[in-house]
Amino acid sequence: MTEPMFDVDAALLTAVLRDPAALDEVRAIVQPEDFRRAQHRAIFEAVVAVAGRGVTVDEVTGNAELDAVGKLAGVGGPAAIVELE
């Protein structure tokens, strides 16, 4: 199976990072296991965790969460979220 030209998972994460208010709507229909790539799944879980604490999600808070749960290196390091934004 070839990788699609347009990465829907990355686009969804980009949208949520740019408009955190959209996260509630996204969470109503998207679950972490819906993401094809483990790195996108981990980033989504981090976004949900940070937002769940009432903290604004951005590259700093997202990376801090990924680091705290030991997944920062696995997603490609601090640049992974920046590349989505």
Side-chain angles (χ1 to χ4, degrees):
M1 178 182 225
T2 61
E3 198 62 27
M5 296 286 289
F6 180 75
D7 190 337
V8 175
D9 293 351
L12 181 87
L13 289 170
T14 298
V16 170
L17 288 165
R18 289 185 179 169
D19 182 10
L23 182 60
D24 287 337
E25 292 179 44
V26 169
R27 287 185 62 202
I29 57 173
V30 176
Q31 301 301 313
E33 56 272 7
D34 294 330
F35 289 88
R36 293 173 307 205
R37 293 183 182 171
Q39 83 180 79
H40 289 156
R41 195 171 312 119
I43 292 170
F44 184 72
E45 290 170 340
V47 167
V48 169
V50 170
R53 292 193 294 271
V55 176
T56 301
V57 181
D58 58 21
E59 69 265 10
V60 174
T61 59
N63 283 332
E65 177 65 20
L66 287 163
D67 191 36
V69 297
K71 295 184 177 180
L72 185 59
V75 301
I81 289 180
V82 174
E83 290 172 359
L84 291 169
E85 291 185 315

